[in-house]
Amino acid sequence: MKYEKMRGGKMEKINIFMVDDEAIILKGLETTYSWDKMGAVVVGTSRNPRKAVDEILEKQPDIVITDIRMKQMTGLDLIQEVNRRAEKKCLWIVISAYRDFEYAQRACELGAFTYLLKPIEDSKLEEAVLSAAKTIRQSRKSRKILRDYEHFIENNRKVFENYMVGKFSGDQIDEEELQEALARFGGKDWDAFSCRAVCLDFVRVLETKSRQAVTQEEIAGFLEQDLGEAYQYFYFQNESGYRTIILAAQGEEYLVIPVLEREMGRLRQKFSVDFRYGISGISRGIKGLKEVYVQAVENLEQVNGKKRDMAELEQIRSHARTYISQAISYVQEHLDDEFLSVGMAAREVHLNPVYFGRLFGQGMQRSFKQYLLEERIRLAKSLLKTTDDTITEICERVGIPNPSYFTQQFKKHVGCLPTEYRKEAYEKK
C-alpha cells in the first residue's frame, strides 16, 4: 500500500471517528490499521450512534467510518442527522455485511464517500481512507487558495475596481461583467450616482531634480486622501498613456467644474508636475462611467490640439468603412490570438482606441467584443464541419483556449453543444 509522502516531514493529520455497535469490530478498526502511516489519527469511537451524533458534532472529524445496521440508529440515519446539524461537513465511509444495493444507493444519496462490505479487506479500507484523505487535503488546499484570493482582493479592493472600470471603459468587458465585479464589495445603486471624468496628460516634470513623472500609486494616494470621503472614484491609465479619474457622487453639486479644477490645482502643486486635462459632462449609472470617460478623452485631445477639425472629421466618417474593413481583415488573420483586443485593432488602423471602438460599434451595430466572439464561433462551426480536430484543438484555433468557456459560449450562440453540432453536420452529409 502506497502512503502519501509528507512534505518537509510534516503533513496535517486527517481526523477519523468510528461508529459500530459491535465492540470487537470497533476495537479491531481502531487498533488493526496503521492510521499514523496513512496520515490519520483516530479522535474518537462510539458504540452508540445516538450519542455519536453529539460527539461527531463536537470533535468535527474529517472522516467518519460507520456501520449501516445498528440497534439504536442506522448508519443512514446517523449520516442524515449529522449532515443536518453540522457546520463542517465530513466524508463518510459506510460498512455493512448486507449486500443490499438499496443501502449503498441511499448512502451515496446522503453523501457517503464510499461503501465497503464486511468482512472488510485491509487493502480496501486503507485505499478508501487514503482516497478520502487525498480529497480532503485537496479541498483544504482549494479553500486556502480561495481564502487567500478573497483576502488579496479585499486588501486591494481599490486596485481591482480601478482595473475593472478601466477594462469597461476600453470596451474589453461589458456592463454585466463590470456590475458583477463591483458587486463583490457590496452592490451600490449606481443609477443613484452621477459621475464626471477628468482625463490627464502629463507634460513634464517641473522640479529639475526629478526625472520621473508622478506614479500611479502617488496619484491614487492623493485621491484617497483628498477625495475618498466625498466621492466614489476610479483611477486608471488607458492605452494612450492618459490617466483618467472618474468621480461619482449622489449629488451633482459635488461634481461642478470649479471643484474639479481646484483639485487639479492641488495635484499640480503637491507633485510639482504639469499636465493638461479634459473634463467631461455629467452622466449617470454604470453606462455613464464609459460615457464620461469617452467625453473626457475627447476634450483632452481638443486641449492637446489633437482634435480634428470638422473637415477632417467628415473625411474620417466618409472613410469609416475603410477603417472597419482593415480592422476586420486584421481580426480574421489573428482570430487564434486569445489576447486580441479593440486596442490592437485600433493600432492597426492608426486610430485612438476609444474613437475606433465607437466608430466600429456605429458601423457594425455591435461592439468590437461582440463581433470578435461571433467570428470565433463562426470559425468554430466551420472547423467542426470540415475537420476532425478535437474540441481542444478547435479552441486553440479560434482563440478561446478554455474548453469550458468555449462550450458555454458556443451553446449560447448556436443553441447546442459543439459535439452535437458536429454530429448533426456529419449526419446531414
Side-chain angles (χ1 to χ4, degrees):
M1 177 63 60
K2 286 187 176 180
Y3 296 114
E4 192 173 344
K5 292 183 179 179
M6 299 184 184
R7 294 182 180 178
K10 292 182 179 180
M11 182 170 61
E12 188 177 358
K13 295 287 187 182
I14 299 297
N15 295 328
I16 295 179
F17 193 95
M18 301 173 179
V19 186
D20 198 306
D21 60 357
E22 295 186 40
I24 295 176
I25 293 178
L26 190 61
K27 191 66 176 177
L29 283 172
E30 184 180 5
T31 60
T32 302
Y33 297 92
S34 302
W35 300 112
D36 188 62
K37 288 184 178 180
M38 286 188 271
V41 59
V42 178
V43 296
T45 64
S46 178
R47 291 179 56 198
N48 187 326
R50 292 191 184 280
K51 293 181 179 179
V53 172
D54 290 331
E55 292 182 66
I56 291 170
L57 294 173
E58 178 187 349
K59 295 181 183 295
Q60 297 185 339
D62 301 301
I63 300 172
V64 177
I65 302 175
T66 182
D67 194 6
I68 283 282
R69 287 282 185 110
M70 294 179 286
K71 295 175 184 177
Q72 298 89 347
M73 176 189 282
T74 69
L76 297 178
D77 290 337
L78 173 65
I79 295 173
Q80 198 165 13
E81 182 64 15
V82 170
N83 285 349
R84 184 180 68 83
R85 294 172 55 187
E87 293 183 8
K88 175 193 171 186
K89 301 300 181 184
C90 57
L91 295 187
W92 296 86
I93 296 177
V94 177
I95 57 178
S96 177
Y98 295 87
R99 297 177 178 272
D100 192 333
F101 175 73
E102 289 184 6
Y103 279 113
Q105 186 179 41
R106 181 61 179 145
C108 292
E109 288 173 357
L110 292 173
F113 182 77
T114 191
Y115 185 96
L116 301 175
L117 293 174
K118 294 179 182 178
I120 305 170
E121 296 178 33
D122 292 353
S123 61
K124 292 292 185 183
L125 180 59
E126 291 180 12
E127 182 181 335
V129 170
L130 289 172
S131 179
K134 183 177 180 181
T135 298
I136 289 165
R137 291 192 176 99
Q138 288 175 339
S139 178
R140 285 176 180 172
K141 184 177 180 181
S142 297
R143 286 198 300 270
K144 182 180 184 304
I145 291 172
L146 180 60
R147 285 195 303 270
D148 290 346
Y149 171 74
E150 295 288 352
H151 182 69
F152 174 81
I153 291 295
E154 183 61 37
N155 286 348
N156 295 274
R157 172 177 180 171
K158 196 71 243 172
V159 174
F160 176 72
E161 290 181 337
N162 290 342
Y163 173 77
M164 296 305 290
V165 172
K167 285 278 195 181
F168 174 65
S169 300
D171 281 330
Q172 292 173 290
I173 63 173
D174 58 30
E175 184 179 341
E176 183 179 349
E177 290 172 300
L178 178 61
Q179 285 179 323
E180 288 178 1
L182 296 180
R184 294 181 67 93
F185 307 104
K188 290 183 174 62
D189 179 13
W190 285 100
D191 289 336
F193 282 81
S194 298
C195 54
R196 192 192 288 271
V198 183
C199 191
L200 303 94
D201 182 20
F202 286 84
V203 179
R204 61 187 175 86
V205 179
L206 298 179
E207 192 174 338
T208 56
K209 294 180 181 179
S210 175
R211 294 298 177 189
Q212 291 186 343
V214 58
T215 66
Q216 295 269 106
E217 292 76 15
E218 287 174 324
I219 293 182
F222 165 80
L223 293 173
E224 183 65 37
Q225 181 178 1
D226 213 46
L227 304 174
E229 292 185 6
Y231 301 92
Q232 296 289 323
Y233 75 89
F234 305 101
Y235 173 64
F236 54 91
Q237 181 172 326
N238 70 7
E239 293 184 351
S240 299
Y242 300 151
R243 315 282 180 86
T244 300
I245 305 165
I246 300 179
L247 299 169
Q250 290 187 308
E252 292 189 7
E253 65 272 15
Y254 294 104
L255 298 169
V256 294
I257 288 180
V259 171
L260 300 186
E261 289 181 331
R262 183 190 65 204
E263 293 300 330
M264 294 305 101
R266 288 181 181 175
L267 184 61
R268 266 198 189 96
Q269 185 177 11
K270 181 174 178 64
F271 296 108
S272 299
V273 291
D274 190 14
F275 55 83
R276 300 186 181 98
Y277 60 86
I279 299 180
S280 73
I282 292 177
S283 191
R284 296 179 72 85
I286 289 283
K287 289 182 180 179
L289 297 175
K290 185 183 293 186
E291 292 172 0
V292 297
Y293 164 72
V294 171
Q295 291 174 19
V297 170
E298 290 180 341
N299 290 340
L300 170 65
E301 293 194 337
Q302 187 172 11
V303 170
N304 283 350
K306 297 179 183 177
K307 193 74 173 180
R308 300 171 176 87
D309 59 28
M310 290 304 298
E312 189 177 1
L313 284 175
E314 287 301 321
Q315 185 179 14
I316 288 175
R317 293 188 182 100
S318 68
H319 288 85
R321 291 184 180 179
T322 302
Y323 287 119
I324 292 174
S325 177
Q326 291 174 358
I328 287 174
S329 297
Y330 179 78
V331 167
Q332 296 301 322
E333 293 173 8
H334 296 83
L335 274 176
D336 61 341
D337 184 354
E338 64 175 299
F339 300 107
L340 183 58
S341 68
V342 65
M344 294 167 65
R347 284 195 295 272
E348 178 68 15
V349 297
H350 308 293
L351 289 178
N352 176 280
V354 176
Y355 178 73
F356 170 75
R358 295 177 69 188
L359 189 71
F360 189 93
Q362 291 168 359
M364 298 294 289
Q365 299 300 303
R366 60 176 69 79
S367 70
F368 180 87
K369 183 180 178 181
Q370 289 173 320
Y371 169 77
L372 178 57
L373 181 57
E374 288 172 4
E375 287 303 293
R376 283 173 164 161
I377 297 299
R378 182 195 59 76
L379 176 58
K381 288 167 64 177
S382 175
L383 293 172
L384 287 166
K385 282 183 177 180
T386 60
T387 75
D388 293 323
D389 290 354
T390 66
I391 299 299
T392 301
E393 289 170 337
I394 289 175
C395 287
E396 294 290 338
R397 291 182 64 176
V398 302
I400 308 177
N402 185 327
S404 176
Y405 180 73
F406 166 75
T407 300
Q408 175 190 344
Q409 292 300 318
F410 190 93
K411 185 173 183 180
K412 180 178 177 181
H413 284 76
V414 183
C416 63
L417 297 173
T419 50
E420 295 170 342
Y421 183 84
R422 169 172 273 170
K423 181 181 178 182
E424 184 179 344
Y426 281 159
E427 288 174 352
K428 286 181 179 180
K429 286 183 179 180

